[in-house]
PDB file of all heavy atoms in Angstrom:
ATOM      1  N   ALA V   5      -6.874   6.968   7.409  1.00  0.00           N
ATOM      2  CA  ALA V   5      -6.089   5.751   7.232  1.00  0.00           C
ATOM      3  C   ALA V   5      -4.771   6.109   6.577  1.00  0.00           C
ATOM      4  O   ALA V   5      -4.671   7.111   5.843  1.00  0.00           O
ATOM      5  CB  ALA V   5      -6.833   4.734   6.367  1.00  0.00           C
ATOM      6  N   MET V   6      -3.766   5.281   6.841  1.00  0.00           N
ATOM      7  CA  MET V   6      -2.482   5.409   6.158  1.00  0.00           C
ATOM      8  C   MET V   6      -2.049   4.042   5.694  1.00  0.00           C
ATOM      9  O   MET V   6      -2.467   3.014   6.247  1.00  0.00           O
ATOM     10  CB  MET V   6      -1.434   6.014   7.093  1.00  0.00           C
ATOM     11  CG  MET V   6      -1.717   7.448   7.461  1.00  0.00           C
ATOM     12  SD  MET V   6      -0.408   8.213   8.437  1.00  0.00           S
ATOM     13  CE  MET V   6       0.933   8.309   7.219  1.00  0.00           C
ATOM     14  N   GLY V   7      -1.235   4.035   4.672  1.00  0.00           N
ATOM     15  CA  GLY V   7      -0.817   2.744   4.138  1.00  0.00           C
ATOM     16  C   GLY V   7       0.441   2.835   3.325  1.00  0.00           C
ATOM     17  O   GLY V   7       1.013   3.925   3.140  1.00  0.00           O
ATOM     18  N   TRP V   8       0.857   1.682   2.893  1.00  0.00           N
ATOM     19  CA  TRP V   8       2.023   1.541   2.021  1.00  0.00           C
ATOM     20  C   TRP V   8       1.575   0.870   0.715  1.00  0.00           C
ATOM     21  O   TRP V   8       0.880  -0.151   0.752  1.00  0.00           O
ATOM     22  CB  TRP V   8       3.102   0.712   2.695  1.00  0.00           C
ATOM     23  CG  TRP V   8       3.757   1.402   3.837  1.00  0.00           C
ATOM     24  CD1 TRP V   8       3.408   1.317   5.153  1.00  0.00           C
ATOM     25  CD2 TRP V   8       4.872   2.296   3.773  1.00  0.00           C
ATOM     26  NE1 TRP V   8       4.239   2.101   5.910  1.00  0.00           N
ATOM     27  CE2 TRP V   8       5.150   2.713   5.094  1.00  0.00           C
ATOM     28  CE3 TRP V   8       5.680   2.783   2.742  1.00  0.00           C
ATOM     29  CZ2 TRP V   8       6.190   3.590   5.397  1.00  0.00           C
ATOM     30  CZ3 TRP V   8       6.707   3.655   3.039  1.00  0.00           C
ATOM     31  CH2 TRP V   8       6.952   4.052   4.346  1.00  0.00           C
ATOM     32  N   HIS V   9       1.993   1.463  -0.369  1.00  0.00           N
ATOM     33  CA  HIS V   9       1.777   0.877  -1.679  1.00  0.00           C
ATOM     34  C   HIS V   9       3.157   0.651  -2.303  1.00  0.00           C
ATOM     35  O   HIS V   9       4.149   1.234  -1.844  1.00  0.00           O
ATOM     36  CB  HIS V   9       0.983   1.813  -2.579  1.00  0.00           C
ATOM     37  CG  HIS V   9      -0.449   2.003  -2.168  1.00  0.00           C
ATOM     38  ND1 HIS V   9      -0.820   2.588  -0.983  1.00  0.00           N
ATOM     39  CD2 HIS V   9      -1.608   1.670  -2.778  1.00  0.00           C
ATOM     40  CE1 HIS V   9      -2.124   2.622  -0.877  1.00  0.00           C
ATOM     41  NE2 HIS V   9      -2.631   2.068  -1.956  1.00  0.00           N
ATOM     42  N   ARG V  10       3.200  -0.158  -3.332  1.00  0.00           N
ATOM     43  CA  ARG V  10       4.474  -0.342  -4.027  1.00  0.00           C
ATOM     44  C   ARG V  10       4.235  -0.445  -5.527  1.00  0.00           C
ATOM     45  O   ARG V  10       3.159  -0.838  -5.968  1.00  0.00           O
ATOM     46  CB  ARG V  10       5.207  -1.575  -3.511  1.00  0.00           C
ATOM     47  CG  ARG V  10       4.534  -2.897  -3.838  1.00  0.00           C
ATOM     48  CD  ARG V  10       5.265  -4.055  -3.149  1.00  0.00           C
ATOM     49  NE  ARG V  10       4.643  -5.343  -3.429  1.00  0.00           N
ATOM     50  CZ  ARG V  10       5.003  -6.475  -2.831  1.00  0.00           C
ATOM     51  NH1 ARG V  10       5.992  -6.482  -1.918  1.00  0.00           N
ATOM     52  NH2 ARG V  10       4.411  -7.608  -3.144  1.00  0.00           N
ATOM     53  N   GLN V  11       5.275  -0.096  -6.260  1.00  0.00           N
ATOM     54  CA  GLN V  11       5.199  -0.170  -7.702  1.00  0.00           C
ATOM     55  C   GLN V  11       6.516  -0.702  -8.243  1.00  0.00           C
ATOM     56  O   GLN V  11       7.570  -0.073  -8.066  1.00  0.00           O
ATOM     57  CB  GLN V  11       4.882   1.189  -8.331  1.00  0.00           C
ATOM     58  CG  GLN V  11       4.613   1.129  -9.810  1.00  0.00           C
ATOM     59  CD  GLN V  11       3.981   2.389 -10.340  1.00  0.00           C
ATOM     60  OE1 GLN V  11       4.029   3.444  -9.730  1.00  0.00           O
ATOM     61  NE2 GLN V  11       3.339   2.284 -11.512  1.00  0.00           N
ATOM     62  N   ALA V  12       6.437  -1.852  -8.886  1.00  0.00           N
ATOM     63  CA  ALA V  12       7.599  -2.452  -9.528  1.00  0.00           C
ATOM     64  C   ALA V  12       7.637  -2.006 -10.985  1.00  0.00           C
ATOM     65  O   ALA V  12       6.611  -1.624 -11.552  1.00  0.00           O
ATOM     66  CB  ALA V  12       7.519  -3.965  -9.432  1.00  0.00           C
ATOM     67  N   PRO V  13       8.816  -2.053 -11.614  1.00  0.00           N
ATOM     68  CA  PRO V  13       8.918  -1.624 -13.017  1.00  0.00           C
ATOM     69  C   PRO V  13       7.949  -2.395 -13.908  1.00  0.00           C
ATOM     70  O   PRO V  13       7.868  -3.621 -13.846  1.00  0.00           O
ATOM     71  CB  PRO V  13      10.373  -1.966 -13.362  1.00  0.00           C
ATOM     72  CG  PRO V  13      11.092  -1.901 -12.071  1.00  0.00           C
ATOM     73  CD  PRO V  13      10.117  -2.417 -11.042  1.00  0.00           C
ATOM     74  N   GLY V  14       7.190  -1.647 -14.705  1.00  0.00           N
ATOM     75  CA  GLY V  14       6.264  -2.258 -15.634  1.00  0.00           C
ATOM     76  C   GLY V  14       4.990  -2.763 -15.024  1.00  0.00           C
ATOM     77  O   GLY V  14       4.164  -3.386 -15.713  1.00  0.00           O
ATOM     78  N   LYS V  15       4.790  -2.512 -13.729  1.00  0.00           N
ATOM     79  CA  LYS V  15       3.586  -3.005 -13.053  1.00  0.00           C
ATOM     80  C   LYS V  15       2.808  -1.853 -12.460  1.00  0.00           C
ATOM     81  O   LYS V  15       3.328  -0.747 -12.264  1.00  0.00           O
ATOM     82  CB  LYS V  15       3.961  -4.012 -11.960  1.00  0.00           C
ATOM     83  CG  LYS V  15       4.581  -5.287 -12.485  1.00  0.00           C
ATOM     84  CD  LYS V  15       4.737  -6.307 -11.371  1.00  0.00           C
ATOM     85  CE  LYS V  15       5.274  -7.627 -11.911  1.00  0.00           C
ATOM     86  NZ  LYS V  15       5.420  -8.635 -10.826  1.00  0.00           N
ATOM     87  N   GLN V  16       1.538  -2.110 -12.148  1.00  0.00           N
ATOM     88  CA  GLN V  16       0.706  -1.096 -11.534  1.00  0.00           C
ATOM     89  C   GLN V  16       1.044  -0.980 -10.044  1.00  0.00           C
ATOM     90  O   GLN V  16       1.509  -1.926  -9.414  1.00  0.00           O
ATOM     91  CB  GLN V  16      -0.768  -1.462 -11.698  1.00  0.00           C
ATOM     92  CG  GLN V  16      -1.278  -1.316 -13.129  1.00  0.00           C
ATOM     93  CD  GLN V  16      -2.790  -1.478 -13.216  1.00  0.00           C
ATOM     94  OE1 GLN V  16      -3.370  -2.201 -12.413  1.00  0.00           O
ATOM     95  NE2 GLN V  16      -3.410  -0.806 -14.168  1.00  0.00           N
ATOM     96  N   ARG V  17       0.775   0.196  -9.524  1.00  0.00           N
ATOM     97  CA  ARG V  17       0.951   0.394  -8.085  1.00  0.00           C
ATOM     98  C   ARG V  17      -0.082  -0.455  -7.353  1.00  0.00           C
ATOM     99  O   ARG V  17      -1.253  -0.504  -7.741  1.00  0.00           O
ATOM    100  CB  ARG V  17       0.784   1.870  -7.726  1.00  0.00           C
ATOM    101  CG  ARG V  17       1.173   2.209  -6.322  1.00  0.00           C
ATOM    102  CD  ARG V  17       1.144   3.713  -6.078  1.00  0.00           C
ATOM    103  NE  ARG V  17       2.101   4.422  -6.923  1.00  0.00           N
ATOM    104  CZ  ARG V  17       2.403   5.711  -6.770  1.00  0.00           C
ATOM    105  NH1 ARG V  17       1.819   6.412  -5.818  1.00  0.00           N
ATOM    106  NH2 ARG V  17       3.270   6.290  -7.579  1.00  0.00           N
ATOM    107  N   GLU V  18       0.345  -1.117  -6.280  1.00  0.00           N
ATOM    108  CA  GLU V  18      -0.546  -1.990  -5.527  1.00  0.00           C
ATOM    109  C   GLU V  18      -0.448  -1.703  -4.034  1.00  0.00           C
ATOM    110  O   GLU V  18       0.594  -1.293  -3.517  1.00  0.00           O
ATOM    111  CB  GLU V  18      -0.192  -3.466  -5.780  1.00  0.00           C
ATOM    112  CG  GLU V  18       1.188  -3.860  -5.338  1.00  0.00           C
ATOM    113  CD  GLU V  18       1.462  -5.360  -5.483  1.00  0.00           C
ATOM    114  OE1 GLU V  18       0.564  -6.121  -5.881  1.00  0.00           O
ATOM    115  OE2 GLU V  18       2.608  -5.758  -5.184  1.00  0.00           O
ATOM    116  N   LEU V  19      -1.564  -1.939  -3.362  1.00  0.00           N
ATOM    117  CA  LEU V  19      -1.603  -1.787  -1.904  1.00  0.00           C
ATOM    118  C   LEU V  19      -0.816  -2.922  -1.265  1.00  0.00           C
ATOM    119  O   LEU V  19      -0.994  -4.093  -1.608  1.00  0.00           O
ATOM    120  CB  LEU V  19      -3.035  -1.802  -1.409  1.00  0.00           C
ATOM    121  CG  LEU V  19      -3.214  -1.802   0.112  1.00  0.00           C
ATOM    122  CD1 LEU V  19      -2.759  -0.476   0.706  1.00  0.00           C
ATOM    123  CD2 LEU V  19      -4.669  -2.086   0.479  1.00  0.00           C
ATOM    124  N   VAL V  20       0.033  -2.574  -0.313  1.00  0.00           N
ATOM    125  CA  VAL V  20       0.780  -3.560   0.445  1.00  0.00           C
ATOM    126  C   VAL V  20       0.138  -3.766   1.817  1.00  0.00           C
ATOM    127  O   VAL V  20      -0.139  -4.892   2.234  1.00  0.00           O
ATOM    128  CB  VAL V  20       2.250  -3.125   0.615  1.00  0.00           C
ATOM    129  CG1 VAL V  20       3.004  -4.105   1.504  1.00  0.00           C
ATOM    130  CG2 VAL V  20       2.924  -2.985  -0.742  1.00  0.00           C
ATOM    131  N   ALA V  21      -0.090  -2.662   2.526  1.00  0.00           N
ATOM    132  CA  ALA V  21      -0.665  -2.742   3.863  1.00  0.00           C
ATOM    133  C   ALA V  21      -1.271  -1.395   4.215  1.00  0.00           C
ATOM    134  O   ALA V  21      -0.811  -0.365   3.725  1.00  0.00           O
ATOM    135  CB  ALA V  21       0.372  -3.133   4.897  1.00  0.00           C
ATOM    136  N   ALA V  22      -2.281  -1.420   5.071  1.00  0.00           N
ATOM    137  CA  ALA V  22      -2.922  -0.188   5.499  1.00  0.00           C
ATOM    138  C   ALA V  22      -3.336  -0.316   6.947  1.00  0.00           C
ATOM    139  O   ALA V  22      -3.575  -1.421   7.458  1.00  0.00           O
ATOM    140  CB  ALA V  22      -4.130   0.130   4.616  1.00  0.00           C
ATOM    141  N   ILE V  23      -3.439   0.845   7.602  1.00  0.00           N
ATOM    142  CA  ILE V  23      -3.877   0.890   9.010  1.00  0.00           C
ATOM    143  C   ILE V  23      -4.799   2.088   9.174  1.00  0.00           C
ATOM    144  O   ILE V  23      -4.495   3.184   8.688  1.00  0.00           O
ATOM    145  CB  ILE V  23      -2.665   0.945   9.957  1.00  0.00           C
ATOM    146  CG1 ILE V  23      -3.114   0.849  11.400  1.00  0.00           C
ATOM    147  CG2 ILE V  23      -1.818   2.208   9.721  1.00  0.00           C
ATOM    148  CD1 ILE V  23      -1.958   0.561  12.378  1.00  0.00           C
ATOM    149  N   THR V  24      -5.922   1.864   9.838  1.00  0.00           N
ATOM    150  CA  THR V  24      -6.870   2.950  10.027  1.00  0.00           C
ATOM    151  C   THR V  24      -6.529   3.747  11.280  1.00  0.00           C
ATOM    152  O   THR V  24      -5.700   3.331  12.091  1.00  0.00           O
ATOM    153  CB  THR V  24      -8.303   2.417  10.157  1.00  0.00           C
ATOM    154  OG1 THR V  24      -8.418   1.702  11.390  1.00  0.00           O
ATOM    155  CG2 THR V  24      -8.660   1.488   9.002  1.00  0.00           C
ATOM    156  N   SER V  25      -7.226   4.862  11.454  1.00  0.00           N
ATOM    157  CA  SER V  25      -6.997   5.666  12.643  1.00  0.00           C
ATOM    158  C   SER V  25      -7.362   4.893  13.905  1.00  0.00           C
ATOM    159  O   SER V  25      -6.814   5.161  14.979  1.00  0.00           O
ATOM    160  CB  SER V  25      -7.806   6.959  12.561  1.00  0.00           C
ATOM    161  OG  SER V  25      -9.179   6.671  12.359  1.00  0.00           O
ATOM    162  N   GLY V  26      -8.249   3.912  13.759  1.00  0.00           N
ATOM    163  CA  GLY V  26      -8.633   3.085  14.903  1.00  0.00           C
ATOM    164  C   GLY V  26      -7.719   1.907  15.128  1.00  0.00           C
ATOM    165  O   GLY V  26      -7.877   1.167  16.116  1.00  0.00           O
ATOM    166  N   GLY V  27      -6.755   1.692  14.228  1.00  0.00           N
ATOM    167  CA  GLY V  27      -5.785   0.626  14.415  1.00  0.00           C
ATOM    168  C   GLY V  27      -6.059  -0.657  13.642  1.00  0.00           C
ATOM    169  O   GLY V  27      -5.278  -1.600  13.714  1.00  0.00           O
ATOM    170  N   SER V  28      -7.142  -0.695  12.882  1.00  0.00           N
ATOM    171  CA  SER V  28      -7.411  -1.875  12.062  1.00  0.00           C
ATOM    172  C   SER V  28      -6.415  -1.936  10.902  1.00  0.00           C
ATOM    173  O   SER V  28      -6.057  -0.906  10.340  1.00  0.00           O
ATOM    174  CB  SER V  28      -8.835  -1.831  11.506  1.00  0.00           C
ATOM    175  OG  SER V  28      -9.773  -1.848  12.549  1.00  0.00           O
ATOM    176  N   THR V  29      -6.009  -3.161  10.577  1.00  0.00           N
ATOM    177  CA  THR V  29      -5.016  -3.339   9.527  1.00  0.00           C
ATOM    178  C   THR V  29      -5.509  -4.285   8.447  1.00  0.00           C
ATOM    179  O   THR V  29      -6.379  -5.120   8.694  1.00  0.00           O
ATOM    180  CB  THR V  29      -3.691  -3.884  10.100  1.00  0.00           C
ATOM    181  OG1 THR V  29      -3.950  -5.157  10.723  1.00  0.00           O
ATOM    182  CG2 THR V  29      -3.095  -2.939  11.123  1.00  0.00           C
TER     183      THR V  29
END
């Protein structure tokens, strides 16, 4: 799987979106 996470100043890193090798999101 691959995905995008984000981290804003003073906040924890969070998952934004992910996609599996099979294409599920």
Side-chain angles (χ1 to χ4, degrees):
M6 293 185 69
W8 290 93
H9 291 64
R10 67 186 180 187
Q11 188 166 19
K15 294 188 176 181
Q16 289 189 330
R17 190 173 297 190
E18 62 175 357
L19 174 68
V20 175
I23 185 166
T24 69
S25 56
S28 298
T29 60

